[in-house]
Amino acid sequence: MNQQNRRSALKKIAGSAAMVPLAGAPLTSMPFQSSEKKHVPLKGNIKHSVCKWCYRDITLDEFCKEVKKMGITSVELLGPDDWPTLKKHGLTCAMASCLRDGFGISKCFNRTENHAQLYDIYAESIPLAAKAGLKQIITFSGNRDGMDDETGMKNCAEGLKKIMPIAEKHDIIISMELLNSKVNHPDYMCDHTEWGVALCKMVGSENFKLLYDIYHMQIMEGDVIATIQKHHPYISHYHTGGVPGRAEIDETQELYYPAIVRAIVDTGFTGFIAQEFIPKQDPLASLQEGVRICDV
């Protein structure tokens, strides 16, 4: 390249770089703006969902309008009070949330003293979800708090078996999320796929499955594609997230999501993959890009 052409090329590169926002820019410096971009039709090989908690500064009503433009058909981890808003916009909640009264990630099925209250919660929520046309409700193992994994698994199975007849009657899947205990949720018990799969086998119902969070499992065990290929019959739902930091799932992080999603599709999976990253750039632009990356 001669000197003149080199100078011309450098000017073009510099001009393009000036248009790229700083990677660490806070969300407050990039206010929510309605997306007016032309949306390329999706391929239809997967169903797209998104977790609302990552976009707290946008009202649910406005968020529904925006994600629908992107081809997203579900906004999830929402409870019964929010389902009517989703229905108004022609959206579903691919993974519903019903836990209350202090139950959640750190306190759930691995303690037998929790089973009676958890039974009441799910016995009430499962029919409500079915009536709303929903198919899955999230659950958790709880923290170890000194309990060994074998005891915790037996306790979880005991409690889950009690609600399986209700789930089976209403065609609802109860899905336990796999989370990392290394960075985000110290001491969480259901932190490896093999443990979750063993629990599925112990419960022995097609209405109990796993929510495989790609971000969390990359941190805990890696080998994401091989794990999905091996254990996909026990997985009913997927979450995304950039590693490290749970930011955008683009080239700034260590996972290559097109290959991961292609592997998921190749297993015959026909459910939802939900974006669950915390955007550092413009929230809706990042979300749209996440959908594009996963639309294989």
Side-chain angles (χ1 to χ4, degrees), residues 38 52-53 66 114 126 131 136 179 249 257 263 286:
K38 289 184 178 179
K52 176 61 176 71
W53 73 265
E66 294 299 325
N114 298 335
I126 289 170
K131 186 176 180 181
Q136 298 200 72
L179 301 171
I249 61 170
Y257 269 92
S286 289

Side-chain angles (χ1 to χ4, degrees), residues 211-228:
L211 193 173
Y212 186 92
D213 189 302
I214 298 164
Y215 161 79
H216 286 293
M217 290 301 96
Q218 170 67 3
I219 290 172
M220 285 306 298
E221 58 193 23
D223 209 16
V224 169
I225 289 176
T227 300
I228 289 168

Side-chain angles (χ1 to χ4, degrees), residues 232-246:
H232 68 88
Y234 301 97
I235 299 169
S236 63
H237 199 75
Y238 293 89
H239 280 173
T240 74
V243 181
R246 198 174 205 129

